[in-house]
């Protein structure tokens, strides 16, 4: 029934408004260690409409998964006032300036291969109110797999080249046993430009039976190497209660207009687990990219509920992306 509703919604939306259409297709083939491999195909088709006082978008995602072959990917309306922005529906919400260790993004799972990739839509209501002294209030009510009425609130203000954010969250999240656990988080953030890009988070998490305090520090910088670009990033987290931490390092080297080489590393302080990704992207034209990468896991348990049964695992990944 949900799939039928999504399809009908897209047709009605297309008939009512003058629309701009877009699409994306991605095919992936993974060759894992222990002689196993699998492939997947994902197709996103959507339409959007923009006016002075509102924006609307609807899109469907189709996959080769027989159980979830078609679903509503985005479907929301955004209204603009003099000082306010209100949006409702299935929309992408990402808060926080950190990449891997982002305590302010309670809405999404971490994608180790591409931390800044598009996230799945959340059924949510969202309100932004711009204050007159370069500051903003935001509130969101959202649904996840554990609870329908989770809440988040954020206050942001600007000082010169720096952005300060205070976040509060009250939500349920499933633990490794599949049980819904109540969580209450407070996250203070700083983001700015000090010659290099910098960001920091102070994280306090309260859940049933345990508290956690953590500090996140990160920075990035781009080098101009005789007409080519080298982008570098480093981010680290320290967890007080466990007296441990982890570090994430990444670089992207733009060799030419068509070729980009990248590598990322995630490792804990004692090198008891490790994730390494290396690869390159080849831009065929304005519409298609090909990416080849190698992922290596060593006793990887990770943070944020990443877990692998094998003590050693690796995979070779081929991806092709098309945009139209």
């Amino acid at each position: 029934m949900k799939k039928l509703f999504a399809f009908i919604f897209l047709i009605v939306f297309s008939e009512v408004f003058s629309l701009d259409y877009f699409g994306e297709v991605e095919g992936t083939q993974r060759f894992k260690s222990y002689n196993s491999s699998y492939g997947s195909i994902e197709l996103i088709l959507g339409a959007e409409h923009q006016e002075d006082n509102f924006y609307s978008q609807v899109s469907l995602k189709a996959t080769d998964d027989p159980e979830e072959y078609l679903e509503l990917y985005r479907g929301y309306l955004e209204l603009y006032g003099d000082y306010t922005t209100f949006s409702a529906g299935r929309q992408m919400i990402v808060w926080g300036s950190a990449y891997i260790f982002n305590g302010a993004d309670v809405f999404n799972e971490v994608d180790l291969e591409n931390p800044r990739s598009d996230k799945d839509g959340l059924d949510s209501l969202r309100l932004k109110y711009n204050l007159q002294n370069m500051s903003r209030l935001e509130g969101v009510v959202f649904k996840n797999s554990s609870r329908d009425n989770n809440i988040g609130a954020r206050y942001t203000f600007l000082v010169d080249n720096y952005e300060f954010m205070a976040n509060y969250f009250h939500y349920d999240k499933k633990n490794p046993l599949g049980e819904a656990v109540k969580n209450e988080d407070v996250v203070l953030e700083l983001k700015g430009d000090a010659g290099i890009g910098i960001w920091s988070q102070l994280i306090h998490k309260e859940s049933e039976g345990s508290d956690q305090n953590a500090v996140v520090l990160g920075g990035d910088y781009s080098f101009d190497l005789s007409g080519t670009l080298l982008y570098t990033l480093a981010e680290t987290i320290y967890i007080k209660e466990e007296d441990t931490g982890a570090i994430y390092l990444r670089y992207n080297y733009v060799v030419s207009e068509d070729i980009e080489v990248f590598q990322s590393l995630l490792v804990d302080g004692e090198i008891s687990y490790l994730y390494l990704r290396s690869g390159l992207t080849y831009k065929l034209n304005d519409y298609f990219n090909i990416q080849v990468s190698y992922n290596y896991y060593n006793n990887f348990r990770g943070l944020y509920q990443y877990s692998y049964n094998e003590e050693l695992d690796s995979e070779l990944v081929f991806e092709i992306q098309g945009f139209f």
Side-chain angles (χ1 to χ4, degrees):
M1 181 61 69
K2 290 182 178 179
K3 298 177 178 64
L4 178 61
F5 171 76
F7 186 68
I8 294 174
F9 185 38
L10 181 59
I11 294 176
V12 173
F13 187 82
S14 301
E15 292 297 326
V16 173
F17 297 106
S18 173
L19 302 175
D20 294 321
Y21 296 94
F22 61 89
E24 179 179 343
V25 61
E26 179 176 313
T28 304
Q29 182 68 40
R30 295 177 180 269
F31 298 91
K32 301 180 70 68
S33 58
Y34 308 107
N35 299 319
S36 64
S37 65
Y38 65 93
S40 62
I41 298 176
E42 181 178 287
L43 173 66
I44 296 174
L45 295 174
E48 59 187 357
H49 181 75
Q50 178 78 56
E51 296 284 350
D52 291 339
N53 58 349
F54 78 92
Y55 170 82
S56 54
Q57 182 188 133
V58 61
S59 58
L60 302 178
K61 180 169 72 171
T63 69
D64 55 357
D65 186 338
E67 296 183 358
E68 296 293 339
Y69 61 91
L70 181 65
E71 64 177 272
L72 180 65
Y73 187 63
R74 301 272 193 272
Y76 68 96
L77 175 67
E78 198 167 67
L79 303 174
Y80 308 122
D82 292 337
Y83 299 101
T84 61
T85 300
F86 174 75
S87 56
R90 182 162 296 183
Q91 56 190 310
M92 184 178 72
I93 300 177
V94 180
W95 286 3
S97 50
Y99 283 75
I100 296 294
F101 314 119
N102 191 353
D105 188 7
V106 304
F107 313 104
N108 307 287
E109 295 294 333
V110 179
D111 183 352
L112 289 177
E113 292 188 358
N114 187 2
R116 291 301 193 198
S117 62
D118 281 350
K119 313 298 182 182
D120 289 339
L122 289 173
D123 295 334
S124 56
L125 302 173
R126 186 178 186 183
L127 177 66
K128 300 179 186 178
Y129 181 74
N130 294 316
L131 305 175
Q132 295 182 353
N133 56 347
M134 299 296 291
S135 59
R136 180 175 68 242
L137 289 171
E138 295 180 64
V140 60
V141 179
F142 64 99
K143 177 181 179 180
N144 61 16
S145 60
S146 302
R147 184 178 176 181
D148 290 347
N149 57 344
N150 306 278
I151 62 172
R154 158 181 271 200
Y155 174 65
T156 303
F157 65 95
L158 303 175
V159 178
D160 295 330
N161 294 327
Y162 296 93
E163 187 175 21
F164 299 86
M165 293 150 282
N167 306 274
Y168 170 79
F169 305 97
H170 192 282
Y171 63 102
D172 285 6
K173 185 177 182 179
K174 291 183 179 180
N175 61 18
L177 300 177
E179 303 167 333
V181 177
K182 296 186 181 299
N183 291 266
E184 191 169 12
D185 300 354
V186 175
V187 183
L188 303 179
E189 295 184 82
L190 167 66
K191 180 182 179 182
D193 185 355
I196 64 172
I198 60 170
W199 58 90
S200 176
Q201 292 184 347
L202 299 177
I203 305 169
H204 176 72
K205 292 179 171 286
E206 292 184 10
S207 59
E208 297 177 8
S210 66
D211 293 352
Q212 187 181 87
N213 296 278
V215 179
V216 175
L217 295 172
D220 60 0
Y221 189 74
S222 295
F223 298 88
D224 185 354
L225 303 176
S226 300
T228 61
L229 181 67
L230 174 64
Y231 172 79
T232 59
L233 179 148
E235 183 175 277
T236 184
I237 186 173
Y238 173 75
I239 303 173
K240 179 181 178 182
E241 286 70 22
E242 301 179 11
D243 192 25
T244 187
I247 187 169
Y248 174 71
L249 303 171
R250 194 182 87 201
Y251 75 82
N252 293 63
Y253 179 47
V254 181
V255 180
S256 67
E257 292 183 357
D258 302 327
I259 299 176
E260 180 176 333
V261 177
F262 58 86
Q263 195 166 44
S264 60
L265 172 68
L266 174 61
V267 62
D268 74 337
E270 299 177 355
I271 319 182
S272 58
Y273 67 85
L274 177 148
Y275 167 75
L276 175 66
R277 183 171 190 242
S278 304
L280 64 86
T281 301
Y282 178 68
K283 184 178 179 181
L284 288 173
N285 50 46
D286 292 337
Y287 303 101
F288 287 96
N289 295 330
I290 295 176
Q291 188 174 98
V292 181
S293 60
Y294 176 75
N295 297 330
Y296 176 82
Y297 311 89
N298 185 11
N299 194 29
F300 189 77
R301 57 182 178 84
L303 302 176
Y304 299 102
Q305 299 185 359
Y306 280 91
S307 178
Y308 294 85
N309 294 326
E310 296 90 356
E311 291 186 358
L312 177 63
D313 196 11
S314 60
E315 59 182 356
L316 184 64
V317 183
F318 293 91
E319 297 176 85
I320 183 168
Q321 287 185 316
F323 307 92
F324 52 92

